[in-house]
Amino acid sequence: MQKYTLVFVLSLSAMLTATSESCGQHRKIATRIFWQDRDTDKLSYADLTMSSKWGLSRGWVNGFPELDAERQDLVQMKHCDGMLMVGIRDDDGGKHQSGWVAIDTGVIEEPHGNHTHWRYNSKPAVRLAKLDAEQGNPAHVYVYNRRFYLANDTKNGFTRAIPVSLKNKNAAASAFFPGGGNHITMAAPTESVAYSTWIDGGGPNAGRVDVVRTDRDKDQIAYSFKLPTGVIHGATSNSGRAFFAPADGICWVDVDSAVSLNADTVKVNHLTLGTDEETDKPLRTGAFENSRNWVLCSTGSGAQSALCMINAAAQTPAVIRLSIDLADGLRLMTPKTVMSMGRRYAFLFQDRTQADSDVQEQLTIVELDPNKDRDFSDARVKTTIPVGASRVEGHHGHHAIAFDAYGRHAIFTEPGTGILNVMAMPQMKVVARFTVGGSPDSIVAVGAPEHHH
């Protein structure tokens, strides 16, 4: 029965696309989406439209550079204040051509008292780009305090960029800071201090975190400290604390906003995630997500798989686990959170650990605060649905999801099928599927349904 349902939905999606091209009635834009195609390393955008039926109006970003799909990769991308920052990595440690591209999304948010209106005034266009042999092969892109932070891995530092300055093509829109190394993850809790990590598993830089002053143009690394274990791959900040994901559990420190501490006086706190029952090694995580004063991550495999939640504002932060039992051959991805109609949710894909596996992949949706008291300790699984295939290659090819600004709709990718799905949040059901081809990877949504007086 499932096979015939899938065929019908795919046929329906084709019909919806045709409708969006030919229908003469006004079609309201629900949101504008940007996605990466892993096959071609091209960046597409589309306006997701709605009237009596869904539609997808696809286009290309004006001025986006033509990449060499054999030698370059699109990596992480983030949105802030109408701008999209896209990282680009090469196959030669940044010596070929790596860097970043800053794109004006063409989406305007207009404040109207206690709410905002969204306008789709222009097509997306590149405002500034840095692609050369001096950009340090970035991988991770973050947004902290309405600033972009891009990790320049092989330069052992990071770039900070101001969205409004990028939009105005200001040559001083970005600045480089030393700190972190090799494969950098970072947290920037204030505009004057950042925590930048080293991924080394051994040697003098194992477990190293650099505390960087971003309010000065020299002597920026104030001091460095060590976590109990290395291989740090994940960092965030929340409620005056910085959190890190080393080989064993989670570590956190109080943010040193005044930069008054040093390697000897900073206190590193450790939270265990348990021990893997099969390997007898400590459980770990690889990335974080924030929702209000809570830090979220996933860990474990099989029956030990769990969504982990930490109240960063608690006097003594502790890990709260919500077990999510997975089939063998699947692994929980990093949670993505959304506020929808007054309720908070975390979306976790269950992706294959082996690309050639045929085990059915899933999407689990967790209601984080059922009784709405802002305490996530009562989090519960709301639903789990089957999804089409991923196409995992290293860090790439996993399912990805984005939400419109009002949290009414989710759009997620199926890299193995070349399909984008639209989910209506009130029903938590897929209401449209669009075949876009290639291998859709990372996705970002900007804006919410446009308003017409």
Side-chain angles (χ1 to χ4, degrees), residues 322-377:
L322 176 65
S323 295
I324 302 175
D325 195 10
L326 271 64
D328 289 341
L330 297 179
R331 181 176 291 277
L332 281 179
M333 297 296 100
T334 300
K336 298 298 178 184
T337 60
V338 64
M339 165 76 94
S340 179
M341 295 165 291
R343 293 193 175 275
R344 296 181 183 274
Y345 299 97
F347 284 62
L348 298 96
F349 287 101
Q350 302 181 21
D351 280 5
R352 294 168 181 163
T353 56
Q354 300 293 330
D356 56 357
S357 167
D358 62 357
V359 63
Q360 176 63 58
E361 295 174 294
Q362 309 279 351
L363 170 58
T364 294
I365 303 172
V366 174
E367 187 174 4
L368 292 170
D369 188 14
N371 66 3
K372 303 180 74 169
D373 65 352
R374 300 181 180 177
D375 182 347
F376 290 2
S377 60

